[in-house]
Amino acid sequence: MVFDILSELESYENSFPEIRNVIDIMDRSLPYEKGEGTYSCPENDRVTYSVNEILTSDKGISFNVEANHSALIITLEGEQVVSSNDVDKVFILSEGRFLLVNEGVWRMAMTPNLPAQIKYCVFNW
C-alpha cells in the first residue's frame, strides 16, 4: 500500500513497473478529458483504468482488488475518503494525491461531511 502525492509516482516505478503506464496516461491528461467509462492503456493492455463521477456519501461504495492485482486511485476533482472494509486503514484523497492498494475489500467515495460531487479514476493491473 502506498499513499503519496502524484508528483512522487516515479519514485515507485521500480517496485511497481505498471506505474510508468499510469504516469504516461496522467501526463497526457486522458482521465481529465475522458467521460465516464473504462479504458485500456495503449502501451500495456494489462493496465486498465476507469473514470467515474459520483456523489460522495457516508457509506461510499465497496470495491474488491483480487489476489495478485493492484488498484491505484486518483481523485481528479473534489475530495473523498477511502478505507479498508474494516476501517482499519483510512485515507483522505484530495486532488493531487493517490492511493495504491493491493488485495482486499475497500470502500471509496465516502465523506464525513455533506455529500459532494467528485471525479476520480482507478487504474487496475
Side-chain angles (χ1 to χ4, degrees):
M1 176 178 343
V2 177
F3 179 58
D4 209 337
I5 57 176
L6 286 174
S7 61
E8 293 297 320
L9 268 173
E10 286 182 334
S11 61
Y12 300 99
E13 194 174 348
N14 287 336
S15 300
F16 306 97
E18 291 85 359
I19 284 182
R20 170 49 41 202
N21 302 118
V22 173
I23 294 167
D24 291 343
I25 289 169
M26 293 302 293
D27 281 350
R28 289 183 260 165
S29 297
L30 296 178
Y32 294 97
E33 297 168 359
K34 297 204 181 259
E36 287 189 284
T38 302
Y39 307 92
S40 292
C41 173
E43 296 82 15
N44 181 352
D45 60 3
R46 185 170 178 252
V47 177
T48 61
Y49 65 100
S50 61
V51 177
N52 300 286
E53 293 186 51
I54 192 169
L55 193 62
T56 58
S57 69
D58 59 340
K59 293 185 179 29
I61 56 173
S62 180
F63 70 99
N64 184 44
V65 179
E66 298 177 17
N68 301 317
H69 286 79
S70 297
L72 191 144
I73 306 158
I74 300 172
T75 303
L76 303 171
E77 296 173 10
E79 183 176 272
Q80 66 175 312
V81 175
V82 179
S83 75
S84 56
N85 202 42
D86 60 5
V87 194
D88 185 41
K89 300 167 188 76
V90 178
F91 306 91
I92 297 175
L93 259 68
S94 54
E95 295 174 36
R97 298 203 68 100
F98 73 91
L99 177 64
L100 175 64
V101 296
N102 50 15
E103 177 182 354
V105 179
W106 300 86
R107 298 196 71 71
M108 65 186 324
M110 294 185 297
T111 184
N113 304 315
L114 294 174
Q117 187 75 23
I118 61 167
K119 183 176 183 179
Y120 65 92
C121 64
V122 179
F123 290 87
N124 295 285
W125 63 83

